[in-house]
Structure formats: structure tokens, C-alpha cells
Amino acid sequence: MIQIGQEEYKTIIKHAKEGLPNEACGLLGGIVVSGVTYVKKIYCLTNTDASREHFSMDPKEQFAAIKDIRSNNLQLIGNFHSHPETPARPSDEDKRLAYDSTLLYGIVSLMAEDSPVFKVFHINEAKEVSEEEVVII
Ligand SMILES: [Zn+2]
């Protein structure tokens, strides 16, 4: 199970909307306590691809985020990106690029811009996708 605060959730949705018409992306800092992952800090990064169908995180921003995560005694628990025009599930490319089965892969769908859908997945080495339960607190 993944717990995320209202504020953090809003930050993800806001970043996704501000990135339109392109995909937006970012990193998630948090902690894991007795099997529950707590998302504590959202890092909104620049999509250097500036594309509606792809994203690449700005390497400098990525480095700064990792540094901040460490200095706050958090862990890099995953990343997120938006799908401006498609549902909140990993695309074939998302699965191909999922290099770490321990990370969470969050996807925001803005297919219906007024009712964004945020889902979080694990993707294993066999590229099998499992959705994780997200609780907004
Ligand atoms: Zn995607």
C-alpha cells in the first residue's frame, strides 16, 4: 500500500497539468515502514523531451533531487509521469524503460483533464505490471 498526503497528491496533478500538452515527470521521495510506502516529497522535473508521448528527466534536476532525498533521510521510492491523452497504465515503452523492479512507477492520466487519474505500479524483470493500492490521506 502507498500513502500520499493531499498536498503531495495535488503537487503531482498540478505538475502534470502545467506540463500539457506534453508529458510531465518527476521523482518521489519517501519512506517504507512495515510494508507501507509513505510518499513524503515530490520532485517536479523538466521533461527534456518536451513530447506528448515520451519523457526524459533533466539529469541535473535528477541529481539535485537525489541529493535532497538523501539529505532528508528519505529514499528514492519511485518516479511519476503523465499521460496527456492515454489511460493511467504503463505503455510498452514505459515497461521497456522500467529498469528497477523495486521502484514505484506513478502515472497520471489527463485524458479527462478535470478528473485526473493517478495510479501507481510495480514492474518486474519480466515486465509484468502490478497496480499498487494508493491511499490519499
Ligand atoms: Zn508513459
Side-chain angles (χ1 to χ4, degrees):
M1 201 219 314
I2 293 138
Q3 286 206 8
I4 178 164
Q6 280 285 348
E7 283 309 308
E8 287 71 28
Y9 177 74
K10 280 186 199 155
T11 301
I12 292 172
I13 302 297
K14 187 164 171 269
H15 184 55
K17 286 188 176 177
E18 284 172 354
L20 288 173
N22 297 326
E23 289 196 4
C25 56
L27 295 174
L28 304 171
I31 51 169
V32 181
V33 181
S34 350
V36 180
T37 302
Y38 298 87
V39 179
K40 293 286 189 187
K41 208 164 170 190
I42 311 299
Y43 297 88
C44 296
L45 271 53
T46 304
N47 175 6
T48 54
D49 287 349
S51 156
R52 317 161 83 104
E53 289 165 355
H54 305 274
F55 73 96
S56 298
M57 295 184 194
D58 181 298
K60 273 187 192 158
E61 291 175 6
Q62 220 172 339
F63 182 75
I66 304 285
K67 221 173 142 185
D68 189 81
I69 284 171
R70 289 196 184 130
S71 68
N72 282 287
N73 288 318
L74 299 173
Q75 298 168 31
L76 174 66
I77 55 160
N79 58 48
F80 69 96
H81 71 283
S82 65
H83 282 176
E85 291 153 29
T86 53
R89 59 170 176 259
S91 66
D92 289 341
E93 184 177 80
D94 292 338
K95 288 187 224 172
R96 194 167 50 78
L97 296 176
Y99 58 95
D100 187 339
S101 62
T102 66
L103 288 182
L104 295 167
Y105 294 90
I107 299 178
V108 184
S109 170
L110 296 171
M111 259 173 96
E113 202 185 326
D114 294 332
S115 45
V117 178
F118 179 59
K119 291 186 179 175
V120 176
F121 304 90
H122 272 118
I123 302 171
N124 70 12
E125 282 86 358
K127 304 301 176 188
E128 291 160 344
V129 173
S130 54
E131 187 178 342
E132 301 296 320
E133 186 190 354
V134 179
V135 177
I136 298 163
I137 47 165

